[in-house]
Structures are given as structure tokens and as C-alpha cells.
Amino acid sequence: MTHEVVIIGTGPAGLTAAIYAARASLNPVIYAGMLPGGQLTTTTEVENFPGFEHGIMGPKMMADMTAQAERFGTKVVYETITKVDFSKRPFTLWIDKTEIKAKTVVIATGATAKTLGLPDEAKLMGRGLSTCATCDGFFYRNKVVAVSGGGDSAMEEANYLSKLCSQVYLIHRRSEFRASQIMVDRVKNNPKIKIMTPWTVEKPVADASGLTGIIVKNLETGDSTELKVDGLFMAIGHKPNSDLFLPWVDVDSHGYIKTTVHTATKTPGLFAAGDIADPTFKQAITAAGMGCQAAIQAQKFLEEHEEQ
Ligand code: NAP
């Protein structure tokens, strides 16, 4: 069977594409990948998505979007696409050895958290190192933690952790913050958060049970010191998940997929929506808007290529 529309990724972009494609009777199939619901499932309250006057928890928003997509007939598959061949239509995708055929594909695979590349990083992930306060903060109740980064994610994580932990250090390599002023102000006004700039994390200190501290360096004075912390949350941005789709898409120097007109990639019938194709805004609402565009684009493409 060849699907009309296959969507890869269940963040706001993928699920909005699914809602629109399903309502256009295209029977979309959406693959959830390794983080069903996408990055918003690892966040706390979403305050800036229009329509939720008092905010909504990220995981709840994604569960509702999934249910909405399913209500109109979207098939949600909790598997990860492992290989694709977009060299000819219908396109071919694989989940390991299982082959899937699709007339159009919407890539909405978003981005993955970056890490600092510290010594023993992989070994200490889940044993003191984390990239997700919402996922792991629970384990650090009444403990001392540090957050690395100077963007909105770092501010959000620091604020979230301050509600659970006894003390939070926010460590950022510059004295200026990339984060929005409102987020910075919340951190500055939070008595449980101690801001350290311009500092950088040099290496973890650990014993057999996991992280016990971090060596931090002041970039102005060159001084290094050990900070006793039980956890370090790396909140330094994300890498777009585009590797699987090369060479059928063009990417920029950071790996974001380049689109031409309204989510269209260089391969006819292949569309990209959300953070995977958005180096600038990276918001849930812009991702949803792009998902809508991709679905309508796919519908138009199918109408214009009825011979398939
Ligand atoms: P970001 O804005 O790219 O910020 C990444 C931060 O990490 C920067 O401060 C950067 O430092 C620092 N950094 C990067 N690599 C580093 C390294 N190797 N060592 C030390 N520090 C490093 O990423 P983000 O905070 O994840 O935010 C991404 C987007 O999502 C933004 O558009 C943001 O507004 C949005 N967002 C919004 C909300 C919200 O509104 N509630 C919440 C989270 C995210 P430099 O500044 O020195 O480059």
C-alpha cells in the first residue's frame, strides 16, 4: 500500500500537519520516533501558545494534539524511521527491514539537545548529567544542581529546578544572556538561583555513585574551582535531526533543512516543517504554522500529480 502522506515526527509541526492532512481525507500516517510528542514533552508550562490564557503543560498539549490528530483519522505509529530513499516517487521509508511507501512526506523531526562534550559525559548521563530538567529534576529534590547555558531553555530549567532543589547555579560563558528579558528577570529575582558569568564548565567530578561536583573556570580571571553539585543540566541548544534525509534536502551550516516556498524542499513531494527547518523562530506556534503549510502543500502536490 502506498500512503498519500507520511509524516515523520510528532511535535507541533508533525501533529498539525496530521490534523490538516486527515481533515483533507489523506489518511496520514505519522511516525513518533524516539521522543513521542517532541521537545514540548520535556518542558513544563507553555505560556505563549495562543488560546491557553493560563498556560498549559507541554506534555498535556502534545497529548491533546495527538488525540486531535487521531480523531480525524491519523494513524499514529510509535516507531522510528531508520532509513529513507527519496530518489524516486513513491518515496520509500524503512523501520529497520519494514518498508513503507509514500506519495508525499513531511519531515518534522525537530531537534535534539546538545551537550557540552565533557570528559566521561556519556558515562555520567543519568548519573548526575542531564539535558532535561522536567524529565530528571525529580531525582534532585532538595539537592544542589547547576544549569549550563544562557538562552531561554537554561532560564526555564533553572527556574523549574529552583522549585525542587535547595540551590541552583546558572553557569553561562558570557555576561550577556541570549534569553528573553522576562526569563532573565525571573532568574535574577529568584533567590534560590545564583548566576555565574562568565564561567564555563570544564569537567565533571564523580565517584562510583555518580556526579559529586564540577570544575568551573572563570573566563575573565582564568581561575578554576570545584563546585559541589549533585546534578548538571546542560541547556545549550539543540541540533536539528536532519542527517537521515541527506542528500534529498539542502541544509544550512547548522544542519537546518532549507526550504524554498512554504516548507517545500528541493525534492518535489518532500516537505519540511517545524524546528528542523527553522533556524530563526523555533517556537511551538511557528512549528504548528509550518505543519499546516506542509499539509496543504502536500495536498496540492497530490492534486497536481494524480498520475502517481
Ligand atoms: P539558544 O537560544 O541557542 O541558547 C543556547 C545557549 O547555550 C546560549 O546562551 C549559548 O551561549 C550557550 N551555549 C551553546 N553552546 C555552548 C557551549 N558549548 N558551552 C557553553 N555554552 C553554550 O538555545 P535555547 O535556550 O535552547 O533556545 C532555543 C530556542 O527556543 C530559542 O528561540 C528560545 O527562545 C526558544 N525557547 C523558548 C522558551 C519559552 O519561551 N518558554 C523556552 C525554551 C526555549 P552564547 O549565548 O554565548 O552563544
Side-chain angles (χ1 to χ4, degrees):
M1 170 193 183
T2 301
H3 299 292
E4 301 291 306
V5 185
V6 159
I7 301 161
I8 314 173
T10 45
L15 288 169
T16 306
I19 291 165
Y20 274 76
R23 287 173 55 81
S25 303
L26 296 176
N27 304 313
V29 181
I30 185 166
Y31 292 91
M34 290 199 276
L35 184 61
Q39 289 177 65
L40 281 182
T41 58
T42 68
T43 194
T44 48
E45 196 151 18
V46 181
E47 292 179 330
N48 53 10
F49 202 95
F52 300 95
E53 185 187 356
H54 303 291
I56 180 169
M57 296 305 281
K60 161 90 174 124
M61 185 159 114
M62 298 326 294
D64 288 355
M65 270 194 207
T66 305
Q68 190 179 358
E70 285 179 318
R71 180 158 81 87
F72 295 112
T74 301
K75 186 174 174 205
V76 182
V77 181
Y78 291 90
E79 298 280 1
T80 301
I81 299 293
T82 52
K83 191 177 141 193
V84 297
D85 180 357
F86 297 151
S87 58
K88 59 179 190 301
R89 291 197 306 273
F91 298 139
T92 311
L93 307 87
W94 287 267
I95 300 164
D96 299 323
K97 292 205 161 63
T98 308
E99 198 177 274
I100 300 146
K101 293 279 184 193
K103 293 182 186 175
T104 62
V105 168
V106 176
I107 302 169
T109 46
T112 300
K114 285 194 218 163
T115 62
L116 288 165
L118 301 170
D120 290 334
E121 195 174 82
K123 210 169 86 187
L124 290 170
M125 286 305 279
R127 295 171 61 231
L129 297 187
S130 171
T131 55
C132 175
T134 326
C135 319
D136 300 331
F138 180 79
F139 302 112
Y140 298 91
R141 274 172 306 164
N142 304 318
K143 294 191 171 176
V144 179
V145 298
V147 174
S148 170
D152 282 330
S153 296
M155 303 302 137
E156 193 172 80
E157 303 244 309
N159 260 318
Y160 176 75
L161 290 166
S162 74
K163 292 176 194 145
L164 299 169
C165 305
S166 56
Q167 160 97 65
V168 180
Y169 294 99
L170 179 79
I171 301 166
H172 178 41
R173 63 184 177 186
R174 291 187 301 129
S175 298
E176 300 77 36
F177 291 107
R178 192 176 289 274
S180 53
Q181 197 56 47
I182 185 171
M183 304 286 269
V184 175
D185 289 345
R186 266 183 215 166
V187 164
K188 283 188 171 161
N189 295 329
N190 188 324
K192 273 196 174 172
I193 303 175
K194 180 169 165 23
I195 296 174
M196 294 176 67
T197 64
W199 287 79
T200 184
V201 181
E202 293 236 285
K203 58 178 181 187
V205 181
D207 63 17
S209 63
L211 195 78
T212 57
I214 48 177
I215 305 293
V216 290
K217 183 177 175 182
N218 184 308
L219 295 175
E220 247 161 37
T221 63
D223 292 344
S224 287
T225 185
E226 182 180 346
L227 217 54
K228 294 278 180 201
V229 295
D230 304 293
L232 169 65
F233 290 81
M234 296 174 274
I236 59 165
H238 292 81
K239 179 189 179 305
N241 298 317
S242 56
D243 293 351
L244 191 67
F245 310 109
L246 306 172
W248 297 286
V249 294
D250 285 332
V251 294
D252 71 8
S253 57
H254 298 284
Y256 290 96
I257 294 177
K258 289 185 190 172
T259 52
T260 51
V261 184
H262 307 307
T263 74
T265 69
K266 71 172 180 183
T267 300
L270 180 63
F271 305 92
D275 284 11
I276 188 69
D278 178 9
T280 312
F281 303 108
K282 295 182 261 182
Q283 300 297 304
I285 188 69
T286 48
M290 290 168 83
C292 161
Q293 290 180 347
I296 294 171
Q297 288 276 65
Q299 184 186 3
K300 271 173 58 186
F301 181 89
L302 289 165
E303 283 163 9
E304 287 163 9
H305 297 79
E306 275 174 359
E307 80 282 2
Q308 272 197 339

